Amino acid sequence: MAAEVVMTVEMIKASQMGMKALGAGIAVGLTGIGAGVAEMAIGSAAVGATAENKDMFGLALLFTVIPETIVIFGLVVALLLLFV
Amino acid sequence: MLAPKQMSRLLIAASRDRMAPVVAELYRHHLFHIEEFVEAGAEGYEGFKIGTPLSGASEASVDLVKIRAIENATSIHGDDIDSAKACTRTELQSRIERELPVLEKEVEDLTVRRSKLDTRVKENEQKIAEITPFLTLPVDLDLYRGYTGFTVFAGYVAREVTLSVPCEMSYSPGKDKNFIVIVVPVGQRSEVERALQEAAFQSVPVPEETGSPKARIDYYTAEISSMTTEIAEIHKKLEDVRQKHSGFLVACEEFLKAEVEQTEAPLRFATTKQTFVAEGWIPSDSVDAVTDSLIKATGGKIYVTVLPIDFEHDRVPVEYNNPSFAKPTQVLMDVYSRPKYTELDPTLMVSIVFPLFFGLILGDVGYGLILLAMALGLRRLFKGEEARQLLTVLRNASISTIIFGLLFSEFLGFAIPGLKPIMPSRHLMVEHGAHGPMIPDLMVLAIWIGVLHITIGRILGIINHSRQDHGEHRTKAMMANFGWIAVMWGLLIAIWSIAALPLMPNLTGLPPVVSIVNIGVVIGAVLAVVGVLLIARDSVLEVVEIPTIISHVLSYTRIVAVGFSSVAIAMVVNFISIGMFIQPQLENFSIFSIFIIIAGLVVFLLGHALNTVLGILGGGLHSIRLHYVEFFTKFYKGGGVKYVPFGMKRRFTED
């Protein structure tokens, strides 16, 4: 016979906290990958453009960080999960 | 303020023999933006031709090329040198005639010798590389060739070879390649070739040398080292030239550049056999002064007049007109695009809001002080105008960071003892009893900032359309911008009426209409629908963009999120270095602890250095991005022509 699993309130709370942490991790991790994939093409094009014309540097840097919004949203979701 | 400097279109006409004094006078004023004359199809300019350079143009350009070559060889940059007006015009002219040829010869000789030595060093290195494989055999290099009855194979193989024919073979296995030398009678040559081919043989040419490989390599190495000392000497001599003549050279360059620009100016004018006409732009407040001085310089034999501006076709050059406080921010505007002449110039707004955003994101007294020290320290290194402007922007941002650091009560991630945060707290690891991070408050604050920033952007959009557009389109575009504001605020009112949020008005108590729908929701919905209709009236396709209202406003939460990430990194660094390395060792102190404490300090320094760099990137890039992407897209197009007045800011010479 399997041992009966007793869950105390503390254990449930701890497990909920763990789930939240997992969720927060997934939110940041996956959005990070998403932002990375999006920045990949922009970044390489930006480096090419800057190599041809140095004045492009500012604009190129800017284009490169545009997909960063994705991971920012992930970070916001993670913060909300953990602290709200 | 909020608008570029007012420009007037000036037309100057005079006889050709007055060209030189007119050009000199215009150059001295450094105000006249020349509208270049294009021969083909210029209206009202039939029969005019592009002018020819004034006398002395080619001599000056030849000298300028020489000077630049010397500066290149001795790596002198005008930007790195403090401005000092050392010599007068005539002095400089005579010095150019006297000293320049000597200096040119000296530098040229040195550079030619240096490049010759460089090539010889490379040749010797190549020879060493060729001999190196043969080092494994104690055989003189001349013994590898000159046989009629034998063939010598030397090269790399993938594995050891066994030959059935009589031969002399030396096999020396190496790390990635194995070197082999085989001597066989000429008759067996083809057989050996076949066997070697199977072992993936790569032939190595036998160097044309005599004597033992080791002696040859020693010989070449000695040659290389003597040549490198010689190169170092040349470098020292060039450095001496640099020390001695850099002031003279930059002054010469400036002087000759001014000469060349002046003598070549007629290439941009319209001329006939007897007369010339120059058109261009000049700040309206300087028209009188320039006109008067031109008349004086030519003894009144000149015609100067202000032409009316045709906003449809003329590309009016744009010069910023900002208070000195906002001037450095112009560099951030130029990265995006210079405003059009008819457009609002948001530089002043950016110069106030950018440091605020930066401070809100980084918000730490410690990092603020580091950045302030950096901004002030680097000013000594960078003397170029643009770099200075950027450093001033960084200085303003770091001051704002310090102020917000006090408001957040943060110092390198620690709470400042005895200082309660006035802003909602961002401290992640808190002792019992203290307040943890107040995420919802901070988020709502960021969203408020976003809503207000975007609303201001849209209002500026209304102003821009009212200035730039005409007729029916003007009203429609203005109403559409109002529509965007209406949709955003309508949604906000509806949200406030449904749910109570911190730091936001609570409208849930308004009289209900149906179940949770109260009067606030209805008002909000009506506003939003009216807004959508107004947007659609201008352009139906724009309706697709409506979700960007939400995404753009939420994008401002990065102010909190990026700020939090830097707080988190700082706290982790503090925890690892102090909590894990230093504190336990201080409690049980032994000799060995010293090393661990030093390691802890290294972690502390490296971690905070990394976080400072991330702080500049995070704080700077995200703040400017919020301006470029979220703010400017609401009203700003840019694409104005830069105002490049004819003349130069003299740093080393006098007029």
Side-chain angles (χ1 to χ4, degrees):
Chain A
M1 211 173 97
E4 199 161 312
V5 182
V6 183
M7 294 276 275
T8 61
V9 177
E10 283 78 42
M11 285 167 75
I12 291 171
K13 273 193 178 159
S15 129
Q16 276 179 346
M17 198 54 225
M19 286 295 185
K20 275 185 179 179
L22 274 179
I26 291 172
V28 174
L30 288 184
T31 48
I33 293 173
V37 170
E39 266 175 35
M40 182 171 63
I42 304 175
S44 57
V47 171
T50 315
E52 275 198 14
N53 177 5
K54 272 189 184 160
D55 295 342
M56 284 292 294
F57 177 75
L59 214 52
L61 194 66
L62 192 84
F63 285 144
T64 317
V65 296
I66 282 180
E68 209 118 294
T69 314
I70 307 168
V71 71
I72 298 281
F73 285 163
L75 194 59
V76 168
V77 168
L79 288 173
L80 288 175
L81 272 176
L82 285 176
F83 294 104
V84 178
Chain B
M1 240 185 283
L2 290 183
K5 218 175 228 178
Q6 213 186 343
M7 291 283 167
S8 296
R9 192 181 178 118
L10 207 65
L11 182 134
I12 300 166
S15 70
R16 260 185 111 144
D17 54 339
R18 306 276 165 203
M19 190 129 66
V22 168
V23 166
E25 200 61 19
L26 287 176
Y27 200 82
R28 192 174 64 80
H29 277 286
H30 193 204
L31 284 169
F32 189 65
H33 175 104
I34 301 175
E35 185 91 344
E36 235 155 274
F37 170 68
V38 188
E39 239 170 90
E43 219 175 292
Y45 279 99
E46 290 81 9
F48 278 86
K49 282 206 161 64
I50 289 177
T52 44
L54 299 172
S55 64
S58 57
E59 291 86 352
S61 349
V62 168
D63 281 346
L64 187 60
V65 169
K66 278 185 201 160
I67 297 250
R68 288 196 171 144
I70 298 173
E71 285 185 339
N72 220 353
T74 49
S75 53
I76 294 173
H77 300 288
D79 281 351
D80 304 337
I81 295 168
D82 284 316
S83 53
K85 288 175 184 168
C87 13
T88 61
R89 197 189 153 92
T90 40
E91 217 177 274
L92 206 58
Q93 221 155 8
S94 67
R95 273 187 78 183
I96 288 177
E97 274 169 31
R98 211 173 52 232
E99 292 178 27
L100 188 62
V102 186
L103 198 60
E104 192 209 357
K105 179 134 191 352
E106 186 185 343
V107 172
E108 201 190 325
D109 287 350
L110 286 174
T111 42
V112 166
R113 241 179 77 209
R114 184 176 62 182
S115 67
K116 266 187 194 155
L117 286 170
D118 277 338
T119 5
R120 274 185 57 205
V121 166
K122 284 219 183 78
E123 277 169 16
N124 280 9
E125 277 169 352
Q126 176 67 29
K127 279 189 179 143
I128 290 177
E130 278 170 16
I131 302 173
T132 309
F134 295 90
L135 263 180
T136 47
L137 269 84
V139 181
D140 280 0
L141 288 164
D142 37 2
L143 294 180
Y144 285 95
R145 51 175 190 270
Y147 302 110
T148 43
F150 295 100
T151 309
V152 180
F153 292 94
Y156 293 108
V157 281
R159 56 180 175 277
E160 200 167 355
V161 193
T162 41
L163 296 175
S164 48
V165 291
C167 67
E168 275 297 333
M169 178 159 68
S170 148
Y171 177 78
S172 37
K175 227 188 233 164
D176 0 283
K177 296 188 274 189
N178 313 308
F179 189 63
I180 200 167
V181 177
I182 302 168
V183 184
V184 288
V186 173
Q188 264 87 34
R189 190 192 162 120
S190 56
E191 239 168 277
V192 177
E193 266 175 357
R194 216 173 301 126
L196 282 173
Q197 206 164 21
E198 276 167 25
F201 175 74
Q202 277 174 289
S203 166
V204 170
V206 178
E208 297 285 325
E209 302 277 348
T210 50
S212 87
K214 179 144 189 335
R216 295 309 296 165
I217 286 184
D218 287 346
Y219 169 73
Y220 286 126
T221 322
E223 280 230 314
I224 287 178
S225 70
S226 85
M227 279 188 280
T228 28
T229 34
E230 215 171 319
I231 290 173
E233 261 166 43
I234 293 176
H235 273 287
K236 215 181 139 281
K237 277 185 191 156
L238 284 174
E239 179 62 31
D240 286 346
V241 172
R242 199 172 94 101
Q243 297 282 351
K244 221 159 118 195
H245 299 288
S246 63
F248 167 63
L249 285 171
V250 287
C252 276
E253 191 194 345
E254 191 175 278
F255 171 75
L256 288 171
K257 201 177 149 211
E259 286 288 297
V260 169
E261 277 179 6
Q262 288 183 52
T263 47
E264 286 182 350
L267 291 171
R268 301 156 79 184
F269 296 162
T271 55
T272 62
K273 260 189 186 154
Q274 302 300 332
T275 59
F276 78 95
V277 176
E279 263 193 64
W281 300 91
I282 198 162
S284 299
D285 49 12
S286 322
V287 169
D288 289 341
V290 173
T291 313
D292 287 348
S293 79
L294 282 175
I295 290 171
K296 210 185 263 172
T298 53
K301 291 181 177 162
I302 189 168
Y303 174 71
V304 184
T305 185
V306 175
L307 297 175
I309 301 177
D310 171 11
F311 287 105
E312 291 286 307
H313 299 102
D314 284 350
R315 282 167 61 79
V316 188
V318 174
E319 170 69 345
Y320 292 107
N321 186 19
N322 289 308
S324 58
F325 157 75
K327 278 209 168 99
T329 317
Q330 285 163 195
V331 74
L332 294 180
M333 293 300 301
D334 278 339
V335 167
Y336 188 86
S337 186
R338 202 167 264 244
K340 277 207 188 91
Y341 186 66
T342 48
E343 211 168 18
L344 281 173
D345 170 14
T347 316
L348 184 66
M349 227 168 289
V350 179
S351 71
I352 296 168
V353 181
F354 175 79
L356 284 182
F357 281 1
F358 193 100
L360 262 171
I361 289 176
L362 199 54
D364 187 299
V365 179
Y367 292 135
L369 288 174
I370 294 173
L371 292 188
L372 188 61
M374 256 172 73
L376 296 179
L378 288 177
R379 284 179 78 86
R380 285 155 195 262
L381 281 181
F382 294 101
K383 301 209 166 79
E385 179 128 15
E386 215 167 78
R388 288 232 154 158
Q389 287 188 328
L390 267 179
L391 287 174
T392 316
V393 172
L394 182 65
R395 186 202 64 198
N396 294 349
S398 61
I399 291 171
S400 147
T401 305
I402 294 173
I403 294 171
F404 276 100
L406 291 172
L407 295 179
F408 281 124
S409 177
E410 283 175 26
F411 189 95
L412 296 181
F414 297 107
I416 299 174
L419 186 69
K420 272 204 164 172
I422 298 162
M423 300 275 290
S425 159
R426 299 199 296 181
H427 297 287
L428 292 165
M429 290 182 277
V430 283
E431 284 138 36
H432 288 288
H435 212 300
M438 295 159 79
I439 302 278
D441 287 15
L442 285 165
M443 292 272 171
V444 173
L445 188 74
I447 286 172
W448 262 122
I449 292 171
V451 168
L452 295 179
H453 207 213
I454 289 175
T455 308
I456 293 173
R458 287 287 173 201
I459 292 172
L460 295 180
I462 295 176
I463 298 173
N464 263 345
H465 280 296
S466 82
R467 281 170 155 212
Q468 290 182 308
D469 297 336
H470 305 285
E472 199 192 2
H473 175 64
R474 177 166 175 254
T475 343
K476 275 187 179 172
M478 283 167 69
M479 291 310 277
N481 267 301
F482 177 74
W484 285 101
I485 299 177
V487 176
M488 186 166 72
W489 284 90
L491 286 176
L492 273 175
I493 291 172
I495 291 169
W496 293 340
S497 310
I498 293 169
L501 295 167
L503 297 178
M504 287 221 172
N506 184 359
L507 301 181
T508 47
L510 288 177
V513 182
V514 192
S515 70
I516 62 154
V517 178
N518 65 18
I519 226 156
V521 180
V522 176
I523 294 172
V526 170
L527 256 179
V529 170
V530 169
V532 172
L533 288 176
L534 287 176
I535 296 166
R537 207 167 69 107
D538 182 38
S539 156
V540 182
L541 272 180
E542 283 280 293
V543 177
V544 187
E545 296 279 320
I546 282 177
T548 59
I549 291 181
I550 296 166
S551 71
H552 279 187
V553 170
L554 285 184
S555 184
Y556 282 80
T557 53
R558 74 182 60 231
I559 293 176
V560 175
V562 175
F564 247 108
S565 62
S566 93
V567 176
I569 294 173
M571 287 186 166
V572 168
V573 169
N574 291 343
F575 179 69
I576 293 177
S577 61
I578 294 173
M580 287 164 75
F581 280 82
I582 298 176
Q583 202 141 28
Q585 296 304 320
L586 284 180
E587 280 160 18
N588 308 305
F589 194 78
S590 65
I591 296 294
F592 189 59
S593 302
I594 294 171
F595 297 105
I596 297 184
I597 289 173
I598 290 172
L601 285 176
V602 169
V603 170
F604 185 83
L605 288 178
L606 281 182
H608 282 300
L610 172 81
N611 205 16
T612 312
V613 175
L614 286 178
I616 300 175
L617 275 182
L621 273 183
H622 285 287
S623 320
I624 200 62
R625 177 223 133 96
L626 283 176
H627 279 96
Y628 288 168
V629 181
E630 272 81 17
F631 187 53
F632 282 180
T633 49
K634 308 290 181 285
F635 68 97
Y636 187 70
K637 296 214 171 53
V641 185
K642 193 176 173 190
Y643 168 69
V644 191
F646 178 59
M648 71 156 75
K649 218 170 139 188
R650 290 181 188 260
R651 295 179 58 215
F652 308 110
T653 53
E654 286 164 353
D655 276 322

